[in-house]
Amino acid sequence: MTSTNPWSWADDQLVSFNLVRDRSLVDLLRFYDADPAGARTVMRKESDAAFGLPDEGTVLRVGRAGAWSFCFENWLPVGFDPGLLERLSAGTDTIHYFRNPKGGRFVNHLRDGRDLERFELGMPPAPSEEAPLGLHRAIEQRAGEMEKGLDYPEHRALWEVLSELVGVRLDNALVNGPLLTVLRPSGPLRYDTQGPAAHGNGPVSSPPVGGPSRRGLGRSLGPLIPWKPEVPDGR
C-alpha cells in the first residue's frame, strides 16, 4: 500500500538519521567506522531483501542532499552515539533525528562538537546558549499553519523545514531510492582510527547548491527562522 505521508520513512519503529553539512559520503561512512569499499548503490527494498534485520551490526544508507550528506539507520543504530555526533559536527553542522521504539522523536543541532539545540518533537526545547537554526521555532510555526486533523503535524513540519534548509526533499522517494549502502559490523566505534584524527576535522569541500551558503545555514531559510536569543525555560 502506498503511503500518503511523504515522510513515513522517518516514522519507523526505530530510526537514526544524521544530516551533515559538507561531508563526502566516503568520509561519512568512515566516521561510522564502515568500509566504503564494501558499499553498493541499491534501492531500500533491495537492501531490506539482502540484509533484513541483521542480528549483528547496522545497515547504513548514505546519500547527498544539496551541500549536505545524510546517513539513515533503522535497526541497531550507532548514529545517536554522542562521540560520533561530536566528531561528525567538528568544523561543521550536524542535525540528528532519532525515533525510539516508544514513539519519542528527538532532534539535535550540533556545531563544531557543541550541542546548540535539542528537543523532543511536540515538547519545549532544552535550554541552550544559542539556537542559530531556530529549528524548534520553525517547526512549531509550520505545524500551526498545517490543515487541521493531520496526524502528528510536528513530525511533518520537521521534514518540510529540513528539506527547505538543504534544498532537497528528504522524503520517501529519496530515502527509499538508490543510496550507497553497506552493513557496518557490530562493535564500538573506533574514533582513534576512523574519526577526525584520520580524516581531518574540517568539512570536505562541496560545491554550493542554490547560491552561496552561510555557515551552518546551508540553503537560507530566510524569514522562516529569524534568529532570536533563546530564553531558558528553567527546566
Side-chain angles (χ1 to χ4, degrees):
M1 182 175 67
T2 302
S3 172
T4 58
N5 176 8
W7 326 106
S8 60
W9 68 267
D11 205 28
D12 285 349
Q13 187 177 28
L14 180 61
V15 174
S16 177
F17 181 86
N18 285 327
L19 186 64
V20 187
R21 182 176 58 86
D22 291 338
R23 294 265 188 228
S24 72
L25 299 187
V26 168
D27 275 0
L28 195 57
L29 288 174
R30 285 172 172 160
F31 272 89
Y32 275 78
D33 203 14
D35 180 11
R40 298 292 181 269
T41 300
V42 298
M43 304 286 286
R44 186 175 176 186
K45 61 182 180 181
E46 296 173 299
S47 172
D48 291 346
F51 299 112
L53 300 178
D55 294 331
E56 296 183 354
T58 180
V59 178
L60 307 177
R61 287 176 51 76
V62 299
R64 295 289 295 177
W68 299 65
S69 297
F70 63 85
C71 183
F72 164 72
E73 307 165 84
N74 70 328
W75 186 251
L76 303 178
V78 297
F80 59 85
D81 180 271
L84 173 63
L85 293 174
E86 179 180 340
R87 286 157 176 80
L88 284 175
S89 65
T92 188
D93 286 85
T94 294
I95 298 171
H96 170 65
Y97 168 82
F98 183 71
R99 201 276 195 189
N100 67 23
K102 295 183 179 180
R105 299 165 176 87
F106 302 89
V107 180
N108 289 53
H109 170 216
L110 301 95
R111 174 177 293 171
D112 205 13
R114 293 180 56 218
D115 193 356
L116 298 182
E117 189 173 10
R118 173 170 44 88
F119 55 91
E120 181 178 358
L121 285 181
M123 301 293 289
S128 60
E129 295 181 15
E130 58 177 319
L133 297 187
L135 292 176
H136 186 270
R137 291 189 300 277
I139 291 164
E140 291 295 307
Q141 177 182 330
R142 182 62 58 87
E145 296 168 350
M146 290 183 172
E147 63 181 278
K148 303 299 181 182
L150 280 179
D151 182 38
Y152 217 129
E154 292 88 357
H155 182 256
R156 298 191 182 212
L158 165 67
W159 298 105
E160 287 188 8
V161 167
L162 290 184
S163 294
E164 291 178 12
L165 176 69
V166 302
V168 174
R169 272 175 67 89
L170 302 169
D171 59 6
N172 296 331
L174 178 66
V175 176
N176 296 335
L179 295 178
L180 199 60
T181 304
V182 67
L183 176 66
R184 179 198 180 274
S186 59
L189 291 158
R190 298 174 296 170
Y191 303 124
D192 57 336
T193 59
Q194 297 292 81
H199 303 287
N201 285 322
V204 177
S205 297
S206 178
V209 175
S213 64
R214 294 179 290 168
R215 175 170 173 78
L217 291 180
R219 192 181 180 113
S220 174
L221 292 180
L224 178 63
I225 308 183
W227 184 87
K228 295 180 182 179
E230 287 291 318
V231 178
D233 60 11
R235 290 191 304 151

